[in-house]
Amino acid sequence: MSMSLFGGGQEQQPQGPDPVFAAKTEMEMYTDLFNKIASSCFTKCASRRHKEPDLSLGEMSCTDRCVSKYLESQQRVGVVLQQANEAQLEQQQNLANMQQQFGG
């Protein structure tokens, strides 16, 4: 317990993650993902002639498939990274347990 001039004897709580920073970071991540998808799929699927103001049926189908594949690949990469993070955390915990057991 710490004594404060203004707050009396209040115990300081540990600070958690900043929700504003987390939201801002998440928004930046989604903006980056959107920009990458738009650039990649437009380059792959849009006609270079641009004779019509709207996408053709073929361009729309190509774009749908492109976006679907891009999101699916991102999801798969996320699963692999999550598994790697969990394995790394388990290794760190095992190491800490071994050090504690052997007085290290």
Side-chain angles (χ1 to χ4, degrees):
M1 183 169 349
S2 65
M3 297 298 287
S4 170
L5 181 62
F6 300 106
Q10 295 179 350
E11 206 171 303
Q12 290 185 347
Q13 298 293 322
Q15 295 293 322
D18 180 11
V20 173
F21 176 76
K24 183 178 177 184
T25 302
E26 186 175 9
M27 183 60 85
E28 289 172 355
M29 180 191 72
Y30 281 118
T31 300
D32 186 50
L33 177 63
F34 174 81
N35 288 334
K36 286 179 180 178
I37 290 172
S39 175
S40 176
C41 293
F42 181 83
T43 301
K44 180 179 178 181
C45 298
S47 172
R48 303 284 180 249
R49 295 172 293 224
H50 300 294
K51 292 180 181 178
E52 302 172 17
D54 297 324
L55 293 174
S56 70
L57 184 59
E59 290 170 327
M60 286 190 284
S61 296
C62 178
T63 302
D64 285 344
R65 285 191 307 273
C66 180
V67 169
S68 177
K69 287 179 183 180
Y70 202 100
L71 292 176
E72 183 179 344
S73 68
Q74 290 294 312
Q75 191 268 336
R76 287 183 180 188
V77 167
V79 167
V80 169
L81 289 176
Q82 179 66 29
Q83 290 170 344
N85 286 340
E86 289 171 359
Q88 184 179 19
L89 180 61
E90 184 177 344
Q91 286 177 344
Q92 288 173 345
Q93 288 173 340
N94 289 339
L95 180 61
N97 290 342
M98 285 176 27
Q99 288 175 341
Q100 189 177 28
Q101 244 180 356
F102 296 110

